[in-house]
Amino acid sequence: MTAEIINGNEIRKAILEEVKAEVAQMKEKYGKVPGLVTILIGANPASISYVTLKVKTALEVGFKEIQDDQPADISEASLLALIDKYNNDPEINGILVQLPLPKHIDEKKVLNAINPDKDVDAFHPVNVGRLMIGGDEAKFLPCTPAGIQELIIRSGTETSGAEVVVVGRSNIVGKPIAMMMAQKGKGANSTVTIVHTRTKDLASHCKRADILIVAAGVPDLVKPEWIKPGATVIDVGVNRVGMNEKTGKAILKGDVDYDKAKEIAGKITPVPGGVGPMTIAMLMKNTLKSAQYSLKG
Ligand code: GUN
C-alpha cells in the first residue's frame, strides 16, 4: 500500500487563509493589524531569500511589516539598541532577527534581548521554559516544531497514547517537538522517545514508532525496514545532495529514504513540500497570536 502524502504546501495555504481572515476581523473590530519586524544583518544569500519570503507572506496575510536591513558591520550595541526600540514600539507584535549573525555579534545576547512577548521565533529562554510548562503558559511555540505538530493534527493522525520517536535532539527541532508531543493537549498526549547519535540501536526504537519524526540532517538515515507499517513519518531533513545541471537548482533529500518508505508508512511528508513550507506559516500564526494577546492586555 502506498502512503498518503502529507502535503505541506496545501496545509500551509489553509493556515495562511485562516490567519488572513483573523487579521481582517481584527482590523474591522479594533482598527489594528499585527506588526512584524524582520531584522536582516548583512547579505547572506540564504538569509536574504528566507527574509524575502517572510516579508512577502506577512504582507499577503495583511500584517504591517517592517523590513529593517542592517549592514554586516553593525555593532552589537547598535543592534541591541534597535531591538530595544522595537521592544518599546506598540505597533510591533513580533521581532524576528534572522540567523545566523556575523561572528562579531553574540547571538545569545541578541536573542535574549528580545521581549519574550514579542519573540515570535520562540527562541528566548523564557519561551523555552514556557513550552516546558505547557498549556496556556506556552504563548509561542517554535515555528518548525509547531508546523510538525500541525501536519500531524491535520493529517488526522491519532497522537493520544501513540508511540512517538524523535530522531535528533537539537534545540530548534528535536528537543521542543519531543516536549510538545508529551504534553497534555490536542495533537499531543504521546509517549515520546528521543534518539540521537549515541543511541545504541536506532533501528529498534524507530520500528516501535507510530509517529516517527526525523530531524537528524543525515540523508537517507532512516531505512525503510525501520518503519512500522502504517506509521506516520515526518521528515524534517533538508539535505543538499547535488545540483540539477539543467535547472541549476540544488537536489534536496530528506533524512528518510522516501521512495521506499512511502510503500510502508501510512502517511508521510515529502522533501521538499512537507515540513519546509510550514515554518513561515507558523511564524505568521505566532505574530497574530502576539497581537491578539496585546489587545486582551
Ligand atoms: N535562520 C534559519 N531559520 C531561522 C528561523 O526560523 N528563525 C530565525 N530567526 N533565523 C533563522
Side-chain angles (χ1 to χ4, degrees):
M1 198 188 77
T2 303
E4 181 187 319
I5 309 306
I6 304 175
N7 187 331
N9 285 313
E10 269 178 20
I11 296 176
R12 168 189 181 276
K13 219 169 131 193
I15 290 170
L16 291 177
E17 284 303 319
E18 290 162 18
V19 171
K20 197 173 171 178
E22 289 199 52
V23 171
Q25 257 181 30
M26 183 183 283
K27 193 172 179 180
E28 198 177 305
K29 205 165 163 192
Y30 300 100
K32 281 189 171 185
V33 296
L36 174 69
V37 59
T38 50
I39 301 174
L40 170 66
I41 314 293
N44 174 324
S47 293
I48 292 175
S49 82
Y50 281 131
V51 169
T52 305
L53 195 54
K54 287 172 187 177
V55 169
K56 181 171 168 271
T57 312
L59 293 172
E60 273 168 14
V61 296
F63 290 176
K64 171 188 162 129
E65 157 68 41
I66 296 176
Q67 186 176 1
D68 196 336
D69 294 351
Q70 296 290 332
D73 63 355
I74 186 176
S75 69
E76 188 180 278
S78 302
L79 179 55
L80 293 173
L82 191 66
I83 291 170
D84 197 46
K85 181 183 94 169
Y86 291 119
N87 278 343
N88 292 299
D89 183 341
E91 301 259 292
I92 292 298
N93 305 104
I95 301 171
L96 182 134
V97 180
Q98 186 67 24
L99 304 177
L101 293 173
K103 287 202 168 55
H104 68 280
I105 297 178
D106 182 343
E107 189 170 295
K108 210 158 136 187
K109 226 179 186 175
V110 168
L111 295 181
N112 290 0
I114 298 172
N115 177 347
D117 292 338
K118 296 189 180 190
D119 169 38
V120 284
D121 263 326
F123 290 161
H124 192 290
V126 164
N127 285 320
V128 177
R130 286 171 171 168
L131 180 154
M132 186 74 131
I133 296 167
D136 292 343
E137 285 286 329
K139 282 192 147 196
F140 306 123
L141 296 171
C143 300
T144 301
I148 293 169
Q149 195 174 37
E150 202 68 42
L151 289 176
I152 292 170
I153 293 171
R154 295 193 190 219
S155 68
T157 300
E158 177 59 77
T159 60
S160 184
E163 290 282 343
V164 171
V165 174
V166 178
V167 184
R169 52 179 163 177
S170 71
N171 285 330
I172 54 168
V173 183
K175 280 195 259 183
I177 190 63
M179 188 46 61
M180 286 159 60
M181 297 307 295
Q183 301 280 15
K184 287 184 181 170
K186 190 178 166 201
N189 286 316
S190 306
T191 304
V192 180
T193 306
I194 303 178
V195 299
H196 46 76
T197 42
R198 300 292 174 93
T199 297
K200 281 190 183 140
D201 185 356
L202 214 52
S204 72
H205 289 286
C206 292
K207 282 178 185 172
R208 282 190 296 104
D210 299 311
I211 302 172
L212 183 61
I213 301 170
V214 194
V218 180
D220 290 348
L221 172 73
V222 171
K223 310 295 172 228
E225 60 273 20
W226 297 5
I227 293 167
K228 182 174 171 179
T232 291
V233 177
I234 307 289
D235 189 350
V236 193
V238 184
N239 305 293
R240 286 163 201 263
V241 293
M243 183 79 90
N244 182 324
E245 284 180 10
K246 276 190 194 147
T247 62
K249 284 190 177 167
I251 300 169
L252 301 179
K253 230 178 191 312
D255 291 351
V256 178
D257 183 345
Y258 177 79
D259 288 332
K260 293 192 184 119
K262 76 179 189 325
E263 302 305 322
I264 302 163
K267 301 172 200 281
I268 190 165
T269 58
V271 176
V275 176
M278 295 296 291
T279 303
I280 293 182
M282 302 319 286
L283 175 71
M284 301 303 137
K285 227 174 153 171
N286 276 348
T287 308
L288 169 68
K289 255 191 187 173
S290 177
Q292 289 169 334
Y293 286 132
S294 81
L295 284 169
K296 282 182 196 148

